[in-house]
Amino acid sequence: MNRTHHTMGTVVSLDLRCAVPDELVAQAFAVFDDADARFSPFRTDSELSRISRGELDAREASTDLAEVLALADAFERASGGVFSVWRAGGLDANGLVKGWAAQRAADALTAGGATDFCLNAGGDVVTRGAPSPGAVWQVGLRDPARPEGLRGVVALGARAMATSGAYERGAHIVDGRSGEASDHWSSITVIDTDLTVADVLATTVFAMGAAGPAWAHAEFGSSVIAAGREGELTVTGPVTWAGSAG
């Protein structure tokens, strides 16, 4: 069963290989809608926007927002300030919230009895179980030079994968220490057991530049597939390929 849902400015797709009630699917998609309503910097009525404007004290934040801000603070400290949700224009948690929401939705599906599924939130992917007996979930790795093409296929298994790159929105990923956009990599893909971690690290490693992949693997045990400006791939940590990576 395949379901899609438009939310958070992207398309969330759910490939289910097990029987679950419609109510559980709706519950999972509602996680994204709630996150968009609460955390979007583009909605003037969101809790995050109200904090940015000084209308709401961060100490009065909801439990969910407090959790996101605590995670952001932890990643900022771990990265030495490379990752930051604070911008000159206020608070922007987009580098964390989509992965956080997708991981929470996946956890809700699992808690509700879903055993085999692939959840894809605009390229942030989390999988559980298997697509069929004896098979593993496989996820395509986009080619930064040809976003409609693939550089290879990763045998992801029951893990999570997130990618950050400049091929769709241009140079928009900034180093929180300098506020300047990074251009060392053309794309960064991170594989981890948790999509929140993978999503944040994809952004952080991209912004960190040359030192990023080794840092992510040493600090978090994550695997990183880094595409250089000329398209060359650097792989840090174990990655199982199901298709060509050349």
Side-chain angles (χ1 to χ4, degrees):
M1 178 174 66
N2 291 282
R3 299 288 185 85
T4 59
H5 185 64
H6 293 261
T7 186
M8 299 183 78
T10 190
V11 177
V12 177
S13 63
L14 177 60
D15 182 353
L16 278 162
R17 303 299 175 91
C18 57
V20 299
D22 290 342
E23 292 79 6
L24 183 59
V25 174
Q27 178 186 347
F29 286 153
V31 171
F32 292 96
D33 294 337
D34 183 67
D36 189 42
R38 193 179 300 279
F39 303 124
S40 174
F42 308 111
R43 298 176 61 150
T44 58
D45 61 341
S46 73
E47 190 176 359
L48 182 140
S49 292
R50 293 175 61 209
I51 288 178
S52 288
R53 293 194 301 268
E55 297 175 5
L56 181 67
D57 193 295
R59 292 171 295 184
E60 301 171 332
S62 65
T63 301
D64 285 351
L65 183 54
E67 178 182 331
V68 165
L69 292 178
L71 283 168
D73 181 64
F75 282 113
E76 182 171 356
R77 285 186 279 106
S79 66
V82 176
F83 179 83
S84 178
V85 297
W86 295 97
R87 304 282 183 263
L91 189 59
D92 184 345
N94 281 347
L96 187 155
V97 166
K98 182 155 65 79
W100 175 87
Q103 182 63 53
R104 175 170 278 202
D107 291 343
L109 287 166
T110 300
T115 54
D116 304 285
F117 62 86
C118 175
L119 180 66
N120 186 330
D124 288 353
V125 180
V126 57
T127 55
R128 292 292 180 266
S132 60
V136 298
W137 291 107
Q138 300 180 6
V139 180
L141 182 71
R142 294 177 68 178
D143 186 342
R146 298 182 307 109
E148 71 284 357
L150 297 177
R151 284 298 302 272
V153 178
V154 175
L156 188 61
R159 290 181 293 172
M161 181 169 127
T163 298
S164 288
Y167 42 77
E168 287 186 339
R169 296 171 54 193
H172 68 285
I173 303 172
V174 301
D175 185 332
R177 298 169 299 186
S178 64
E180 296 181 355
S182 175
D183 63 357
H184 184 85
W185 304 109
S186 57
S187 74
I188 292 290
T189 296
V190 175
I191 300 170
D192 195 88
T193 57
D194 186 278
L195 188 52
T196 306
V197 174
D199 191 27
V200 172
L201 292 189
T203 301
T204 306
V205 170
F206 192 102
M208 192 175 287
W215 168 81
H217 184 60
E219 292 294 322
F220 295 90
S222 307
S223 296
V224 181
I225 305 169
R229 302 306 302 177
E230 302 302 319
E232 69 282 7
L233 293 184
T234 300
V235 179
T236 305
V239 173
T240 302
W241 296 98
S244 172

